[in-house]
mmCIF file of all heavy atoms in Angstrom:
data_model
loop_
_atom_site.group_PDB
_atom_site.id
_atom_site.type_symbol
_atom_site.label_atom_id
_atom_site.label_comp_id
_atom_site.label_asym_id
_atom_site.label_seq_id
_atom_site.Cartn_x
_atom_site.Cartn_y
_atom_site.Cartn_z
ATOM 1 N N VAL A 39 72.568 107.962 89.818
ATOM 2 C CA VAL A 39 71.774 109.199 89.880
ATOM 3 C C VAL A 39 70.298 108.818 89.989
ATOM 4 O O VAL A 39 69.836 107.926 89.279
ATOM 5 C CB VAL A 39 71.996 110.053 88.611
ATOM 6 C CG1 VAL A 39 71.222 111.363 88.698
ATOM 7 C CG2 VAL A 39 73.482 110.317 88.406
ATOM 8 N N ASN A 40 69.595 109.479 90.878
ATOM 9 C CA ASN A 40 68.180 109.192 91.090
ATOM 10 C C ASN A 40 67.365 110.480 91.048
ATOM 11 O O ASN A 40 67.895 111.553 91.364
ATOM 12 C CB ASN A 40 67.984 108.516 92.451
ATOM 13 C CG ASN A 40 68.578 107.115 92.474
ATOM 14 O OD1 ASN A 40 67.988 106.176 91.947
ATOM 15 N ND2 ASN A 40 69.762 106.976 93.046
ATOM 16 N N LEU A 41 66.077 110.335 90.717
ATOM 17 C CA LEU A 41 65.212 111.521 90.722
ATOM 18 C C LEU A 41 65.164 112.157 92.101
ATOM 19 O O LEU A 41 64.946 113.363 92.228
ATOM 20 C CB LEU A 41 63.803 111.151 90.260
ATOM 21 C CG LEU A 41 63.635 111.082 88.738
ATOM 22 C CD1 LEU A 41 62.308 110.441 88.377
ATOM 23 C CD2 LEU A 41 63.740 112.474 88.120
ATOM 24 N N LEU A 42 65.394 111.345 93.132
ATOM 25 C CA LEU A 42 65.407 111.873 94.497
ATOM 26 C C LEU A 42 66.450 112.989 94.651
ATOM 27 O O LEU A 42 66.211 113.972 95.363
ATOM 28 C CB LEU A 42 65.690 110.724 95.483
ATOM 29 C CG LEU A 42 65.732 111.063 96.968
ATOM 30 C CD1 LEU A 42 64.421 111.685 97.443
ATOM 31 C CD2 LEU A 42 66.040 109.804 97.798
ATOM 32 N N LYS A 45 64.851 116.051 93.239
ATOM 33 C CA LYS A 45 63.739 116.510 94.078
ATOM 34 C C LYS A 45 64.270 117.193 95.343
ATOM 35 O O LYS A 45 63.715 118.196 95.792
ATOM 36 C CB LYS A 45 62.814 115.335 94.429
ATOM 37 C CG LYS A 45 62.038 114.814 93.209
ATOM 38 C CD LYS A 45 61.142 113.631 93.551
ATOM 39 C CE LYS A 45 60.414 113.127 92.312
ATOM 40 N NZ LYS A 45 59.550 111.957 92.555
ATOM 41 N N LEU A 127 69.609 101.929 95.292
ATOM 42 C CA LEU A 127 68.344 102.609 95.612
ATOM 43 C C LEU A 127 67.152 101.952 94.913
ATOM 44 O O LEU A 127 66.139 101.651 95.543
ATOM 45 C CB LEU A 127 68.418 104.107 95.284
ATOM 46 C CG LEU A 127 67.209 104.900 95.788
ATOM 47 C CD1 LEU A 127 67.612 106.264 96.338
ATOM 48 C CD2 LEU A 127 66.130 105.073 94.725
ATOM 49 N N VAL A 128 67.293 101.668 93.625
ATOM 50 C CA VAL A 128 66.143 101.064 92.920
ATOM 51 C C VAL A 128 65.951 99.604 93.323
ATOM 52 O O VAL A 128 64.814 99.130 93.428
ATOM 53 C CB VAL A 128 66.247 101.208 91.380
ATOM 54 C CG1 VAL A 128 66.171 102.655 90.973
ATOM 55 C CG2 VAL A 128 67.502 100.535 90.816
ATOM 56 N N THR A 131 64.281 99.605 96.661
ATOM 57 C CA THR A 131 62.890 100.055 96.497
ATOM 58 C C THR A 131 62.025 98.891 96.030
ATOM 59 O O THR A 131 60.956 98.617 96.597
ATOM 60 C CB THR A 131 62.809 101.204 95.461
ATOM 61 O OG1 THR A 131 63.655 102.265 95.884
ATOM 62 C CG2 THR A 131 61.389 101.712 95.316
ATOM 63 N N GLN A 151 54.334 99.783 87.133
ATOM 64 C CA GLN A 151 54.272 100.904 86.189
ATOM 65 C C GLN A 151 55.680 101.321 85.754
ATOM 66 O O GLN A 151 56.640 101.169 86.504
ATOM 67 C CB GLN A 151 53.556 102.088 86.845
ATOM 68 C CG GLN A 151 52.097 101.776 87.129
ATOM 69 C CD GLN A 151 51.471 102.761 88.087
ATOM 70 O OE1 GLN A 151 52.078 103.761 88.446
ATOM 71 N NE2 GLN A 151 50.257 102.456 88.497
ATOM 72 N N ALA A 152 55.759 101.883 84.567
ATOM 73 C CA ALA A 152 57.030 102.404 84.029
ATOM 74 C C ALA A 152 58.130 101.344 84.064
ATOM 75 O O ALA A 152 59.183 101.539 84.665
ATOM 76 C CB ALA A 152 57.455 103.671 84.784
ATOM 77 N N GLY A 153 57.875 100.234 83.377
ATOM 78 C CA GLY A 153 58.804 99.097 83.392
ATOM 79 C C GLY A 153 60.180 99.405 82.844
ATOM 80 O O GLY A 153 61.138 98.694 83.139
ATOM 81 N N SER A 154 60.319 100.471 82.053
ATOM 82 C CA SER A 154 61.626 100.776 81.448
ATOM 83 C C SER A 154 62.479 101.705 82.305
ATOM 84 O O SER A 154 63.625 101.997 81.957
ATOM 85 C CB SER A 154 61.414 101.394 80.066
ATOM 86 O OG SER A 154 60.453 102.435 80.153
ATOM 87 N N GLY A 155 61.949 102.187 83.427
ATOM 88 C CA GLY A 155 62.708 103.117 84.282
ATOM 89 C C GLY A 155 63.634 102.378 85.241
ATOM 90 O O GLY A 155 63.731 101.143 85.214
ATOM 91 N N GLY A 156 64.306 103.142 86.078
ATOM 92 C CA GLY A 156 65.249 102.559 87.031
ATOM 93 C C GLY A 156 64.586 101.537 87.940
ATOM 94 O O GLY A 156 65.036 100.394 88.054
ATOM 95 N N VAL A 157 63.496 101.931 88.596
ATOM 96 C CA VAL A 157 62.802 101.011 89.503
ATOM 97 C C VAL A 157 62.156 99.881 88.706
ATOM 98 O O VAL A 157 62.273 98.698 89.061
ATOM 99 C CB VAL A 157 61.726 101.755 90.331
ATOM 100 C CG1 VAL A 157 60.943 100.773 91.195
ATOM 101 C CG2 VAL A 157 62.362 102.835 91.211
ATOM 102 N N GLY A 158 61.510 100.230 87.605
ATOM 103 C CA GLY A 158 60.762 99.248 86.813
ATOM 104 C C GLY A 158 61.634 98.119 86.289
ATOM 105 O O GLY A 158 61.263 96.941 86.391
ATOM 106 N N THR A 175 53.735 99.046 82.069
ATOM 107 C CA THR A 175 53.482 100.082 81.065
ATOM 108 C C THR A 175 54.813 100.637 80.577
ATOM 109 O O THR A 175 55.766 100.758 81.344
ATOM 110 C CB THR A 175 52.662 101.245 81.668
ATOM 111 O OG1 THR A 175 53.195 101.552 82.962
ATOM 112 C CG2 THR A 175 51.199 100.925 81.761
ATOM 113 N N THR A 176 54.839 100.979 79.310
ATOM 114 C CA THR A 176 56.012 101.637 78.737
ATOM 115 C C THR A 176 55.585 102.234 77.397
ATOM 116 O O THR A 176 54.471 101.987 76.941
ATOM 117 C CB THR A 176 57.184 100.639 78.560
ATOM 118 O OG1 THR A 176 58.359 101.376 78.258
ATOM 119 C CG2 THR A 176 56.918 99.618 77.465
ATOM 120 N N SER A 177 56.479 103.019 76.775
ATOM 121 C CA SER A 177 56.112 103.510 75.443
ATOM 122 C C SER A 177 56.694 102.558 74.395
ATOM 123 O O SER A 177 57.510 101.699 74.715
ATOM 124 C CB SER A 177 56.609 104.936 75.239
ATOM 125 O OG SER A 177 58.014 104.956 75.251
ATOM 126 N N ARG A 178 56.282 102.739 73.156
ATOM 127 C CA ARG A 178 56.582 101.774 72.084
ATOM 128 C C ARG A 178 58.068 101.424 71.989
ATOM 129 O O ARG A 178 58.428 100.262 71.861
ATOM 130 C CB ARG A 178 56.065 102.345 70.751
ATOM 131 C CG ARG A 178 55.960 101.329 69.635
ATOM 132 C CD ARG A 178 55.119 101.880 68.494
ATOM 133 N NE ARG A 178 55.580 103.206 68.082
ATOM 134 C CZ ARG A 178 56.525 103.432 67.181
ATOM 135 N NH1 ARG A 178 57.097 102.433 66.578
ATOM 136 N NH2 ARG A 178 56.877 104.671 66.868
ATOM 137 N N THR A 179 58.928 102.459 72.089
ATOM 138 C CA THR A 179 60.359 102.214 71.892
ATOM 139 C C THR A 179 60.970 101.272 72.935
ATOM 140 O O THR A 179 62.024 100.704 72.691
ATOM 141 C CB THR A 179 61.164 103.540 71.958
ATOM 142 O OG1 THR A 179 60.669 104.295 73.051
ATOM 143 C CG2 THR A 179 61.069 104.330 70.681
ATOM 144 N N ASN A 180 60.325 101.121 74.073
ATOM 145 C CA ASN A 180 60.914 100.294 75.136
ATOM 146 C C ASN A 180 60.240 98.931 75.307
ATOM 147 O O ASN A 180 60.524 98.227 76.279
ATOM 148 C CB ASN A 180 60.861 101.051 76.464
ATOM 149 C CG ASN A 180 61.758 102.269 76.443
ATOM 150 O OD1 ASN A 180 62.844 102.229 75.877
ATOM 151 N ND2 ASN A 180 61.301 103.353 77.034
ATOM 152 N N TYR A 195 51.530 102.829 77.123
ATOM 153 C CA TYR A 195 50.675 103.784 77.854
ATOM 154 C C TYR A 195 50.253 104.983 77.010
ATOM 155 O O TYR A 195 49.314 105.692 77.362
ATOM 156 C CB TYR A 195 51.348 104.245 79.152
ATOM 157 C CG TYR A 195 52.530 105.177 78.977
ATOM 158 C CD1 TYR A 195 52.356 106.555 78.890
ATOM 159 C CD2 TYR A 195 53.829 104.682 78.910
ATOM 160 C CE1 TYR A 195 53.453 107.399 78.729
ATOM 161 C CE2 TYR A 195 54.917 105.515 78.750
ATOM 162 C CZ TYR A 195 54.726 106.871 78.658
ATOM 163 O OH TYR A 195 55.793 107.711 78.486
ATOM 164 N N LYS A 196 50.946 105.182 75.870
ATOM 165 C CA LYS A 196 50.572 106.313 75.016
ATOM 166 C C LYS A 196 49.374 105.949 74.135
ATOM 167 O O LYS A 196 48.709 106.821 73.599
ATOM 168 C CB LYS A 196 51.758 106.736 74.157
ATOM 169 C CG LYS A 196 52.874 107.330 75.011
ATOM 170 C CD LYS A 196 53.909 108.057 74.228
ATOM 171 C CE LYS A 196 54.889 108.734 75.172
ATOM 172 N NZ LYS A 196 56.178 108.990 74.563
ATOM 173 N N ASN A 212 52.962 101.549 92.185
ATOM 174 C CA ASN A 212 52.623 102.823 91.540
ATOM 175 C C ASN A 212 53.796 103.802 91.633
ATOM 176 O O ASN A 212 54.307 104.061 92.733
ATOM 177 C CB ASN A 212 51.395 103.438 92.224
ATOM 178 C CG ASN A 212 51.017 104.776 91.606
ATOM 179 O OD1 ASN A 212 50.376 104.818 90.565
ATOM 180 N ND2 ASN A 212 51.439 105.864 92.223
ATOM 181 N N SER A 213 54.169 104.348 90.466
ATOM 182 C CA SER A 213 55.276 105.314 90.467
ATOM 183 C C SER A 213 54.929 106.563 89.673
ATOM 184 O O SER A 213 55.804 107.351 89.347
ATOM 185 C CB SER A 213 56.523 104.655 89.861
ATOM 186 O OG SER A 213 56.220 104.191 88.558
ATOM 187 N N GLN A 214 53.624 106.722 89.360
ATOM 188 C CA GLN A 214 53.238 107.843 88.497
ATOM 189 C C GLN A 214 52.330 108.832 89.249
ATOM 190 O O GLN A 214 52.346 108.889 90.462
ATOM 191 C CB GLN A 214 52.581 107.299 87.222
ATOM 192 C CG GLN A 214 53.469 106.307 86.456
ATOM 193 C CD GLN A 214 54.797 106.901 85.995
ATOM 194 O OE1 GLN A 214 54.827 107.967 85.400
ATOM 195 N NE2 GLN A 214 55.892 106.225 86.297
ATOM 196 N N THR A 218 46.871 108.164 87.796
ATOM 197 C CA THR A 218 47.297 106.767 87.602
ATOM 198 C C THR A 218 47.103 105.981 88.897
ATOM 199 O O THR A 218 46.675 104.829 88.874
ATOM 200 C CB THR A 218 48.786 106.727 87.174
ATOM 201 O OG1 THR A 218 48.950 107.607 86.074
ATOM 202 C CG2 THR A 218 49.229 105.337 86.807
ATOM 203 N N SER A 234 52.533 102.795 96.646
ATOM 204 C CA SER A 234 52.947 103.938 95.834
ATOM 205 C C SER A 234 54.301 104.458 96.292
ATOM 206 O O SER A 234 54.521 104.688 97.475
ATOM 207 C CB SER A 234 51.912 105.062 95.934
ATOM 208 O OG SER A 234 52.372 106.160 95.173
ATOM 209 N N ILE A 235 55.195 104.652 95.309
ATOM 210 C CA ILE A 235 56.491 105.243 95.652
ATOM 211 C C ILE A 235 56.557 106.704 95.202
ATOM 212 O O ILE A 235 57.549 107.374 95.404
ATOM 213 C CB ILE A 235 57.674 104.426 95.053
ATOM 214 C CG1 ILE A 235 57.554 104.286 93.531
ATOM 215 C CG2 ILE A 235 57.766 103.051 95.712
ATOM 216 C CD1 ILE A 235 58.803 103.691 92.869
ATOM 217 N N SER A 236 55.472 107.166 94.568
ATOM 218 C CA SER A 236 55.477 108.558 94.100
ATOM 219 C C SER A 236 54.498 109.413 94.902
ATOM 220 O O SER A 236 54.081 110.466 94.448
ATOM 221 C CB SER A 236 55.143 108.592 92.605
ATOM 222 O OG SER A 236 53.989 107.837 92.336
ATOM 223 N N GLY A 237 54.119 108.950 96.069
ATOM 224 C CA GLY A 237 53.252 109.711 96.946
ATOM 225 C C GLY A 237 51.804 109.324 96.777
ATOM 226 O O GLY A 237 51.496 108.492 95.930
ATOM 227 N N PHE A 277 52.081 104.007 101.195
ATOM 228 C CA PHE A 277 53.190 104.735 100.583
ATOM 229 C C PHE A 277 54.477 104.080 101.053
ATOM 230 O O PHE A 277 54.576 103.644 102.197
ATOM 231 C CB PHE A 277 53.142 106.201 101.030
ATOM 232 C CG PHE A 277 54.364 106.986 100.624
ATOM 233 C CD1 PHE A 277 54.577 107.337 99.301
ATOM 234 C CD2 PHE A 277 55.300 107.377 101.576
ATOM 235 C CE1 PHE A 277 55.703 108.053 98.924
ATOM 236 C CE2 PHE A 277 56.431 108.104 101.212
ATOM 237 C CZ PHE A 277 56.627 108.447 99.882
ATOM 238 N N LEU A 278 55.441 104.006 100.132
ATOM 239 C CA LEU A 278 56.758 103.491 100.520
ATOM 240 C C LEU A 278 57.816 104.539 100.241
ATOM 241 O O LEU A 278 57.892 105.071 99.135
ATOM 242 C CB LEU A 278 57.086 102.222 99.711
ATOM 243 C CG LEU A 278 58.549 101.747 99.800
ATOM 244 C CD1 LEU A 278 58.853 101.125 101.170
ATOM 245 C CD2 LEU A 278 58.873 100.730 98.710
ATOM 246 N N PHE A 279 58.605 104.845 101.258
ATOM 247 C CA PHE A 279 59.822 105.621 101.046
ATOM 248 C C PHE A 279 60.960 104.683 101.419
ATOM 249 O O PHE A 279 61.105 104.322 102.583
ATOM 250 C CB PHE A 279 59.839 106.895 101.898
ATOM 251 C CG PHE A 279 61.006 107.794 101.544
ATOM 252 C CD1 PHE A 279 61.030 108.459 100.333
ATOM 253 C CD2 PHE A 279 62.081 107.932 102.402
ATOM 254 C CE1 PHE A 279 62.107 109.259 99.976
ATOM 255 C CE2 PHE A 279 63.163 108.737 102.062
ATOM 256 C CZ PHE A 279 63.170 109.407 100.844
ATOM 257 N N MET A 280 61.714 104.266 100.402
ATOM 258 C CA MET A 280 62.711 103.221 100.648
ATOM 259 C C MET A 280 63.747 103.678 101.672
ATOM 260 O O MET A 280 63.964 104.870 101.854
ATOM 261 C CB MET A 280 63.387 102.786 99.341
ATOM 262 C CG MET A 280 64.206 103.829 98.613
ATOM 263 S SD MET A 280 65.834 104.148 99.296
ATOM 264 C CE MET A 280 66.551 102.525 99.224
ATOM 265 N N ARG A 281 64.371 102.707 102.328
ATOM 266 C CA ARG A 281 65.380 103.051 103.321
ATOM 267 C C ARG A 281 66.645 102.216 103.083
ATOM 268 O O ARG A 281 66.587 101.150 102.445
ATOM 269 C CB ARG A 281 64.833 102.820 104.736
ATOM 270 C CG ARG A 281 64.494 101.398 104.996
ATOM 271 C CD ARG A 281 63.773 101.162 106.312
ATOM 272 N NE ARG A 281 63.869 99.751 106.660
ATOM 273 C CZ ARG A 281 63.223 98.773 106.064
ATOM 274 N NH1 ARG A 281 62.393 99.047 105.069
ATOM 275 N NH2 ARG A 281 63.386 97.521 106.427
ATOM 276 N N VAL A 319 68.429 112.593 83.731
ATOM 277 C CA VAL A 319 67.447 111.798 84.490
ATOM 278 C C VAL A 319 66.127 112.562 84.616
ATOM 279 O O VAL A 319 65.038 111.994 84.502
ATOM 280 C CB VAL A 319 68.014 111.425 85.885
ATOM 281 C CG1 VAL A 319 66.943 110.833 86.784
ATOM 282 C CG2 VAL A 319 69.171 110.441 85.738
ATOM 283 N N GLU A 320 66.246 113.879 84.811
ATOM 284 C CA GLU A 320 65.034 114.698 84.997
ATOM 285 C C GLU A 320 64.129 114.714 83.759
ATOM 286 O O GLU A 320 62.950 115.009 83.859
ATOM 287 C CB GLU A 320 65.427 116.138 85.343
ATOM 288 C CG GLU A 320 65.875 116.283 86.787
ATOM 289 C CD GLU A 320 66.729 117.531 86.990
ATOM 290 O OE1 GLU A 320 66.493 118.552 86.333
ATOM 291 O OE2 GLU A 320 67.668 117.452 87.798
ATOM 292 N N GLY A 322 63.101 112.257 82.316
ATOM 293 C CA GLY A 322 62.112 111.184 82.536
ATOM 294 C C GLY A 322 62.072 110.135 81.438
ATOM 295 O O GLY A 322 61.112 109.376 81.339
ATOM 296 N N ARG A 323 63.132 110.088 80.619
ATOM 297 C CA ARG A 323 63.132 109.141 79.500
ATOM 298 C C ARG A 323 64.185 108.050 79.671
ATOM 299 O O ARG A 323 64.403 107.250 78.767
ATOM 300 C CB ARG A 323 63.396 109.861 78.153
ATOM 301 C CG ARG A 323 62.353 110.861 77.716
ATOM 302 C CD ARG A 323 61.161 110.179 77.035
ATOM 303 N NE ARG A 323 60.206 109.591 77.940
ATOM 304 C CZ ARG A 323 59.232 110.250 78.582
ATOM 305 N NH1 ARG A 323 59.075 111.531 78.417
ATOM 306 N NH2 ARG A 323 58.397 109.622 79.383
ATOM 307 N N ALA A 324 64.867 108.016 80.817
ATOM 308 C CA ALA A 324 65.963 107.048 80.992
ATOM 309 C C ALA A 324 65.462 105.619 80.817
ATOM 310 O O ALA A 324 64.379 105.263 81.272
ATOM 311 C CB ALA A 324 66.586 107.221 82.374
ATOM 312 N N LYS A 325 66.282 104.812 80.140
ATOM 313 C CA LYS A 325 65.982 103.375 79.989
ATOM 314 C C LYS A 325 66.889 102.678 80.983
ATOM 315 O O LYS A 325 68.051 102.427 80.690
ATOM 316 C CB LYS A 325 66.330 102.904 78.585
ATOM 317 C CG LYS A 325 65.543 103.576 77.466
ATOM 318 C CD LYS A 325 66.117 103.090 76.145
ATOM 319 C CE LYS A 325 65.520 103.711 74.917
ATOM 320 N NZ LYS A 325 65.025 105.045 74.954
ATOM 321 N N GLY A 326 66.389 102.385 82.154
ATOM 322 C CA GLY A 326 67.239 101.848 83.213
ATOM 323 C C GLY A 326 67.958 102.982 83.915
ATOM 324 O O GLY A 326 67.384 104.059 84.114
ATOM 325 N N LYS A 327 69.236 102.778 84.236
ATOM 326 C CA LYS A 327 69.902 103.710 85.156
ATOM 327 C C LYS A 327 70.982 104.588 84.541
ATOM 328 O O LYS A 327 71.630 104.235 83.566
ATOM 329 C CB LYS A 327 70.546 102.895 86.281
ATOM 330 C CG LYS A 327 69.563 102.221 87.198
ATOM 331 C CD LYS A 327 68.723 103.198 88.005
ATOM 332 C CE LYS A 327 69.561 104.075 88.908
ATOM 333 N NZ LYS A 327 68.720 105.085 89.604
HETATM 334 N N1 NAP B 401 59.528 106.397 97.386
HETATM 335 C C1 NAP B 401 60.683 105.816 97.059
HETATM 336 O O1 NAP B 401 61.351 105.217 97.903
HETATM 337 C C2 NAP B 401 61.168 105.918 95.643
HETATM 338 C C3 NAP B 401 62.290 105.181 95.247
HETATM 339 C C4 NAP B 401 62.680 105.222 93.902
HETATM 340 C C5 NAP B 401 61.979 106.024 93.007
HETATM 341 N N2 NAP B 401 60.912 106.746 93.447
HETATM 342 C C6 NAP B 401 60.112 107.574 92.520
HETATM 343 O O2 NAP B 401 59.512 106.690 91.576
HETATM 344 C C7 NAP B 401 59.427 107.311 90.315
HETATM 345 C C8 NAP B 401 60.125 106.442 89.266
HETATM 346 O O3 NAP B 401 61.503 106.384 89.565
HETATM 347 P P1 NAP B 401 62.553 105.805 88.510
HETATM 348 O O4 NAP B 401 63.902 106.004 89.098
HETATM 349 O O5 NAP B 401 62.168 104.453 88.081
HETATM 350 O O6 NAP B 401 62.334 106.833 87.311
HETATM 351 P P2 NAP B 401 63.033 106.903 85.918
HETATM 352 O O7 NAP B 401 64.056 105.823 85.775
HETATM 353 O O8 NAP B 401 63.503 108.299 85.693
HETATM 354 O O9 NAP B 401 61.828 106.640 84.914
HETATM 355 C C9 NAP B 401 62.007 106.852 83.568
HETATM 356 C C10 NAP B 401 61.124 105.885 82.795
HETATM 357 O O10 NAP B 401 59.742 106.165 83.061
HETATM 358 C C11 NAP B 401 58.995 105.858 81.911
HETATM 359 N N3 NAP B 401 57.749 106.624 81.940
HETATM 360 C C12 NAP B 401 57.614 107.959 81.978
HETATM 361 N N4 NAP B 401 56.302 108.303 82.037
HETATM 362 C C13 NAP B 401 55.610 107.135 82.045
HETATM 363 C C14 NAP B 401 54.231 106.813 82.118
HETATM 364 N N5 NAP B 401 53.282 107.769 82.186
HETATM 365 N N6 NAP B 401 53.879 105.508 82.132
HETATM 366 C C15 NAP B 401 54.809 104.524 82.064
HETATM 367 N N7 NAP B 401 56.134 104.779 81.985
HETATM 368 C C16 NAP B 401 56.526 106.059 81.983
HETATM 369 C C17 NAP B 401 59.915 106.237 80.773
HETATM 370 O O11 NAP B 401 59.614 105.411 79.681
HETATM 371 P P3 NAP B 401 59.194 106.061 78.273
HETATM 372 O O12 NAP B 401 60.388 106.840 77.816
HETATM 373 O O13 NAP B 401 58.893 104.836 77.462
HETATM 374 O O14 NAP B 401 58.018 106.926 78.556
HETATM 375 C C18 NAP B 401 61.326 105.978 81.312
HETATM 376 O O15 NAP B 401 61.883 104.760 80.847
HETATM 377 C C19 NAP B 401 60.039 108.696 90.498
HETATM 378 O O16 NAP B 401 59.017 109.614 90.806
HETATM 379 C C20 NAP B 401 60.957 108.535 91.705
HETATM 380 O O17 NAP B 401 61.210 109.735 92.383
HETATM 381 C C21 NAP B 401 60.510 106.719 94.744
#
Side-chain angles (χ1 to χ4, degrees):
V39 182
N40 292 282
L41 278 168
L42 181 58
K45 291 179 181 179
L127 189 141
V128 295
T131 303
Q151 294 165 7
S154 49
V157 176
T175 43
T176 191
S177 65
R178 196 165 51 88
T179 44
N180 293 322
Y195 72 88
K196 293 194 174 157
N212 179 80
S213 57
Q214 304 300 310
T218 309
S234 178
I235 57 171
S236 50
F277 171 72
L278 168 73
F279 188 70
M280 64 78 58
R281 63 188 198 288
V319 169
E320 283 159 34
R323 296 278 80 81
K325 298 174 184 31
K327 292 295 299 176

